[in-house]
Amino acid sequence: MKLNPKQQEAASILSGPVLVLAGAGAGKTKTLTERIIRLIESGVMPQHILAITFTNKAAMEMKDRVHTAIKNNPKLQFPVFEEGFVPFVSTFHALGVTILREQYKVLGVSKYFSIYDRQDSRRAIKEAVKKNDLDPKAWDTKKILSFISKNKGNGKRLADINMEEDSSYHRDTMIAIWRSYEAIKREDNAYDFDDLLLETAYLLRTNEQVREHYLRRWSHIHIDEYQDTNKVQYQIVRALTNKETNDIFAVGDPDQLIYGWRGAKISNIMRFEKDFPGTVSVILEQNYRSTKYIIDASNAVIEKNENRFPKKLFTENDQGDSVGVYAAYDAAEEATWITENIQNKINEGVDPGEIAVLYRANFQSRILEEACLKNDIPYQVLGTKFYDRAEVKDVLAYVQAALSPDSLIHVKRVINMPKRSLGKTSVLKIFAGKEDELTPRAKKSLEQFREILSNIKQFIDNGYPPSEVISHVIAVSGMEKMFRDSKKEEDLERIANMYELSEVASKYDTFPPEDGLMRFLEEVALASDQDSKDDSKPMVKLMTIHAAKGLEFDTVFVSGCEESLFTPQPGLDQKASDEKAEEERRLFYVAMTRAKNKLYLSWASVRMVYGSQEVNLISSFILDIPEECLSEENVGFSFTNNRLMGDDDEEAIIYLDF
C-alpha cells in the first residue's frame, strides 16, 4: 500500500506498544491493515494476530482489506479464506461471543446460548418487575435497563454491588429487579449485550488457564478507535495483552470520543503511555477526505478543547467551497431549505447516496422526513433496522427455540405464530408446568408446535447450510402460508423480508453448517444502526451524528446547530459539565468531518422540543469558525467578527429580525 511518511512510520513498528493518534480521514484503517501485513511478512502467523474495532462495518472493511492484501501479496502463500489461518478481526462484542461460546463448558452454559437485544432485555425486565410484585407502569424498563447497563459497563456484576452503599428504597428495588432479571436470563440460557463484554472480562480476569489460552493464540493485539473503550473493554484489552512483550498497536483520536454517555473513558487513551511503558506514539495529521475549507473550520472548532493531544489536521485536497450557514425561523423552514438544497445537489449530479443530513437528537428526523416526502427525495433513516421487523424476529426466534427449547423468550414469541389455539391463558399454564390443565385442543396445538421445533432441529443437525435452514423455517412454521393466504400487500412484503433474511444467511453457507449458523445468528444479534445502511439504491441518508461516526459523504447538512441542542444537561456539577461540554464539541467536530466536498450548518430560531416551543441561539461552536471559512446562505446577512449579525446588532449578540 502507498503510505505517507507518518503512516509508514507507524506501520513499520512491529513490536512493543504503539499508539497511533489518527485524525479524521487520516487513513488509520489503511495504516493498521498495512501493519498487519508487515507482521505476517516478518514471520508472524496470521492466526496469531487479533484486531478489534467497534462497528460491524469497520470490522468487515478491515477484514476485507487484510484478506485482499494477503491474497495479492506475492511474498505470502497463505490459503487466505481458510478460516483459522487468517487474522481474527471483529468487534468487541463479537470477540466476547467467540470467547464465551468457546468456553461454554467452563462457564456451565449451553453452547447455543441466546443473545438478548434491547427489546428482549426490556421484555425480561418487565417480567422481573412483576416477579417482585411491582407495578410495571411505575417502573420504567428503559431506565432500569440503563441502570443495569451503566453498572455493567463500569465492570460491576450483580455480585459486586454493595447493598449497604447509598441504600434507598429506589436503589434497593432496582437491584432486586436486576437480580430477577439475571435469573430470567439464566432460565433462558441467554446473555444480554453488556454480558458479552462483562462476562468475557470476568472470565479472563479470574481464570488464568483461559487467559493463557488466548495469550498463546493472539500474540499481537490491534485496537481501533481506542478512545471509545469503556472500563470493561479496557479490562479485556489489558487481559489479552502479554505483560512481558506489550505487543499492542492502538489507533484512536481523543477528538472523536463521543460515547461518554455509554461509558467510554477518554482517560483510557490519555494514559496509554503510562499503562504501556515504552510506547512509541505516532500522529497522523494528513486528511485525505475533506477540502481545505472544511478542515480549517473543523480545526478551529476542536482546538478549543483542553483534554486532548495537540494536533492539527491538514490536507493537500483542493480549497473547495466555504462552509454554508443558514439561519431559519423554525424547524419547518430549516427542513424546507435543506431539501431544496439537496434537490439542487442532485440536479448538479451528486449521487443521493452521497448526501447525508445529520442531527443531534432522533426527534429531529420527523420534520426532515416530511420535507423529503413532500419534495419526492428518496431517503433512508439509519436506525430503522431490518432485523427489528416482527416477521424477521419471528423466523430467528424459531431457530433459537429449536436450538434451545428452554429459551422461554423465544418460545413465547412464536408458540402462537401463526395462531394455534394457544391463548395467553394456555401459554401461562405451559410455562407454569401445568400442561395437564390444558384443553384437548390446546394440548394438540402444543404437540404440533413441538413437532415443528423438533423438525427444525433435525434439519439443522442434518447439516443443511444456514440459508436453507432459514427457508425451511419460513415454510415449516406456517408463516409463509399465513401471509400468502391474507393476500395483503404488506403481508407479501413480509414474505420478501423473510426470504431476504435467507439471503443474508447465505454469506455463511461456505462455513461448516453449525459454525455458519452460529456466526449468522451472532451477526444478527450484534447488528448496529450502521448495518441498516442500504447502498443498493441512491437514497439520501438521515441519521444522528452518533450513527454517522466512521462514515463519509460528498455533501453533509448538520441540522439544528443550536446552543440548546449542543450543551450539557442541567444539574451536573462543574467537572461533569465541563467534560460534557467538551464531548458536545467533539460531537460537532465529528459531524463536520463527515463531509468531503460540501458542508452546511443550519439552525432554527424557534424549535418545538418535546412538546414545548423553544427560542434558540446559534451554537457557539459555529462562532469559533474563522470568518473566511464561512458563507452566509441567508440573503441580507453577513459575518462580522465571527458573528452572525442583523443590521441592528451593535454588540455582536445573535439576532435575526423576522
Side-chain angles (χ1 to χ4, degrees):
M1 299 180 190
K2 187 177 180 180
L3 305 181
N4 67 36
K6 282 294 181 182
Q7 292 172 332
Q8 193 78 252
E9 178 186 347
S12 299
I13 306 169
L14 303 184
S15 63
V18 182
L19 176 61
V20 180
L21 297 164
K28 65 182 177 66
T29 304
K30 181 169 74 171
T31 304
L32 198 155
T33 303
E34 178 66 12
R35 201 262 185 169
I36 291 174
I37 298 303
R38 294 188 184 188
L39 279 173
I40 298 171
E41 287 180 350
S42 75
V44 177
M45 296 301 286
Q47 63 268 34
H48 292 319
I49 298 172
L50 171 67
I52 312 173
T53 188
F54 272 80
T55 67
N56 295 330
K57 177 183 178 297
M60 189 61 68
E61 179 186 349
M62 193 186 302
K63 189 180 292 185
D64 288 345
R65 287 193 186 194
V66 169
H67 286 196
T68 302
I70 296 175
K71 184 181 178 182
N72 296 335
N73 192 319
K75 300 178 185 178
L76 306 176
Q77 299 296 324
F78 293 117
V80 175
F81 298 106
E82 193 173 304
E83 203 63 25
F85 210 67
V86 291
F88 188 96
V89 183
S90 82
T91 63
F92 268 104
H93 285 86
L95 172 69
V97 172
T98 297
I99 292 175
L100 296 175
R101 193 88 69 189
E102 289 179 352
Q103 303 299 326
Y104 74 97
K105 290 182 180 177
V106 174
L107 294 163
V109 298
S110 166
K111 185 178 182 180
Y112 303 115
F113 62 76
S114 302
I115 302 170
Y116 276 6
D117 61 20
R118 294 297 178 188
Q119 288 182 22
D120 295 332
S121 289
R122 290 183 64 180
R123 201 175 295 120
I125 286 173
K126 187 174 182 180
E127 188 177 334
V129 169
K130 292 177 181 176
K131 281 181 178 287
N132 283 273
D133 297 323
L134 298 167
D135 181 2
K137 293 179 181 178
W139 292 88
D140 187 339
T141 58
K142 192 173 181 180
K143 289 181 180 177
I144 298 168
L145 182 58
S146 177
F147 169 79
I148 295 170
S149 184
K150 186 176 180 180
N151 275 287
K152 288 183 176 181
N154 285 324
K156 290 184 178 180
R157 303 167 87 233
L158 184 59
D160 301 323
I161 300 296
N162 185 349
M163 290 292 289
E164 304 300 322
E165 183 182 318
D166 301 324
S167 182
S168 67
Y169 170 75
H170 184 265
R171 183 178 182 276
D172 292 349
T173 305
M174 294 274 266
I175 292 170
I177 295 169
W178 182 359
R179 186 172 292 108
S180 298
Y181 170 61
E182 294 299 321
I184 290 168
K185 286 198 286 103
R186 277 196 302 275
E187 290 174 9
D188 248 358
N189 187 39
Y191 289 116
D192 64 22
F193 276 179
D194 299 305
D195 293 331
L196 300 179
L197 301 179
L198 182 67
E199 296 304 321
T200 300
Y202 182 76
L203 179 64
L204 292 171
R205 196 169 66 247
T206 59
N207 192 315
E208 191 61 28
Q209 188 176 356
V210 169
R211 181 173 174 272
E212 287 294 332
H213 168 78
Y214 291 106
L215 285 175
R216 286 193 300 272
R217 179 187 291 189
W218 297 311
S219 58
H220 292 73
I221 313 297
H222 300 74
I223 312 294
D224 193 13
E225 305 286 6
Y226 193 79
Q227 78 281 349
D228 287 333
T229 53
N230 64 15
K231 187 171 181 178
V232 179
Q233 289 159 338
Y234 172 80
Q235 289 173 351
I236 293 172
V237 172
R238 294 305 302 270
L240 291 175
T241 304
N242 190 305
K243 290 181 173 60
E244 293 179 9
T245 60
N246 268 347
D247 272 318
I248 178 170
F249 187 92
V251 182
D253 182 9
D255 291 340
Q256 296 186 73
L257 190 158
I258 60 174
Y259 295 113
W261 52 276
R262 69 181 189 197
K265 304 289 185 185
I266 197 168
S267 58
N268 290 353
I269 191 168
M270 299 300 287
R271 73 183 185 200
F272 186 91
E273 294 170 329
K274 184 178 179 181
D275 284 339
F276 302 98
T279 293
V280 178
S281 296
V282 182
I283 302 177
L284 305 184
E285 295 175 294
Q286 183 170 357
N287 175 283
Y288 292 90
R289 176 186 299 156
S290 307
T291 62
K292 288 182 180 176
Y293 268 133
I294 294 172
I295 292 302
D296 290 344
S298 303
N299 280 336
V301 169
I302 199 60
E303 68 185 11
K304 292 294 181 73
N305 270 3
E306 294 181 3
N307 197 14
R308 63 189 294 261
F309 288 106
K311 68 176 186 302
K312 193 163 188 174
L313 293 184
F314 69 92
T315 185
E316 294 179 359
N317 293 339
D318 293 338
Q319 189 71 34
D321 292 336
S322 53
V323 177
V325 177
Y326 182 77
Y329 169 68
D330 59 15
E333 183 191 322
E334 179 191 39
T336 299
W337 175 82
I338 287 173
T339 49
E340 286 174 353
N341 277 272
I342 288 174
Q343 196 61 65
N344 291 338
K345 283 291 178 184
I346 294 173
N347 293 340
E348 291 170 9
V350 177
D351 181 346
E354 278 291 320
I355 301 173
V357 184
L358 311 183
Y359 36 83
R360 178 65 183 84
N362 277 306
F363 76 83
Q364 293 173 253
S365 69
R366 181 193 60 79
I367 201 160
L368 292 165
E369 285 190 73
E370 289 176 358
C372 285
L373 287 168
K374 185 177 179 181
N375 289 275
D376 294 324
I377 293 172
Y379 72 92
Q380 180 197 11
V381 180
L382 261 71
T384 307
K385 298 180 189 173
F386 169 76
Y387 301 121
D388 281 345
R389 298 175 185 272
E391 62 275 13
V392 171
K393 289 177 77 73
D394 288 341
V395 173
L396 293 168
Y398 263 109
V399 177
Q400 293 280 17
L403 291 172
S404 300
D406 294 331
S407 178
L408 304 187
I409 198 161
H410 294 111
V411 172
K412 278 183 180 179
R413 181 176 183 94
V414 292
I415 195 170
N416 209 31
M417 169 56 69
K419 293 193 180 301
R420 295 190 178 88
S421 306
L422 290 171
K424 287 184 179 180
T425 303
S426 296
V427 172
L428 286 172
K429 287 179 180 178
I430 292 167
F431 288 106
K434 299 177 181 178
E435 291 182 22
D436 55 317
E437 296 180 13
L438 295 175
T439 64
R441 186 180 178 187
K443 285 181 180 178
K444 185 177 180 181
S445 295
L446 178 60
E447 184 182 340
Q448 290 171 343
F449 173 68
R450 285 175 172 159
E451 285 175 359
I452 291 171
L453 295 187
S454 177
N455 180 300
I456 295 169
K457 181 64 166 64
Q458 186 64 47
F459 195 84
I460 294 170
D461 290 343
N462 285 340
Y464 286 94
S467 63
E468 292 187 35
V469 170
I470 299 302
S471 297
H472 182 71
V473 168
I474 294 168
V476 77
S477 66
M479 287 195 292
E480 181 174 20
K481 183 179 186 305
M482 176 186 69
F483 290 135
R484 286 202 189 281
D485 289 349
S486 83
K487 296 181 181 178
K488 294 179 182 176
E489 187 175 338
E490 59 266 32
D491 285 341
L492 294 178
E493 185 179 335
R494 289 187 175 97
I495 294 173
N497 288 334
M498 291 191 295
Y499 278 105
E500 178 64 23
L501 185 66
S502 176
E503 182 65 26
V504 174
S506 68
K507 292 190 298 183
Y508 296 92
D509 284 355
T510 55
F511 292 92
E514 183 181 305
D515 185 33
L517 186 60
M518 289 298 99
R519 287 169 182 265
F520 164 65
L521 293 174
E522 287 164 18
E523 178 192 319
V524 172
L526 302 178
S528 65
D529 286 350
Q530 285 192 5
D531 295 315
S532 67
K533 186 170 177 278
D534 182 2
D535 293 323
S536 63
K537 300 174 185 175
M539 296 184 289
V540 174
K541 303 298 186 288
L542 310 182
M543 69 189 89
T544 64
I545 301 171
H546 285 97
K549 177 81 177 294
L551 303 179
E552 58 181 41
F553 302 90
D554 177 89
T555 303
V556 171
F557 295 82
V558 185
S559 164
C561 300
E562 295 141 26
E563 196 70 357
S564 60
L565 286 175
F566 285 92
T567 51
Q569 67 231 49
L572 298 175
D573 61 41
Q574 191 58 51
K575 183 174 182 291
S577 182
D578 291 345
E579 289 175 354
K580 184 61 178 170
E582 290 215 343
E583 179 157 335
E584 291 295 324
R585 184 178 289 275
R586 292 194 293 267
L587 189 63
F588 197 81
Y589 171 77
V590 165
M592 295 175 71
T593 53
R594 299 310 94 198
K596 293 190 281 190
N597 291 311
K598 183 64 182 180
L599 173 64
Y600 294 98
L601 308 173
S602 62
W603 66 289
S605 179
V606 175
R607 187 181 300 275
M608 188 72 73
V609 180
Y610 303 124
S612 62
Q613 193 154 284
E614 294 186 358
V615 178
N616 303 303
L617 297 178
I618 188 173
S619 171
S620 58
F621 300 151
I622 293 180
L623 307 182
D624 294 327
I625 301 173
E627 180 180 345
E628 60 268 20
C629 293
L630 299 169
S631 61
E632 71 277 7
E633 299 291 327
N634 297 74
V635 177
F637 289 92
S638 62
F639 292 93
T640 304
N641 297 326
N642 294 340
R643 298 292 188 268
L644 180 63
M645 301 169 58
D647 294 337
D648 299 330
D649 190 347
E650 297 179 355
E651 297 179 6
I653 297 174
I654 314 308
Y655 173 77
L656 287 173
D657 185 1
F658 290 107

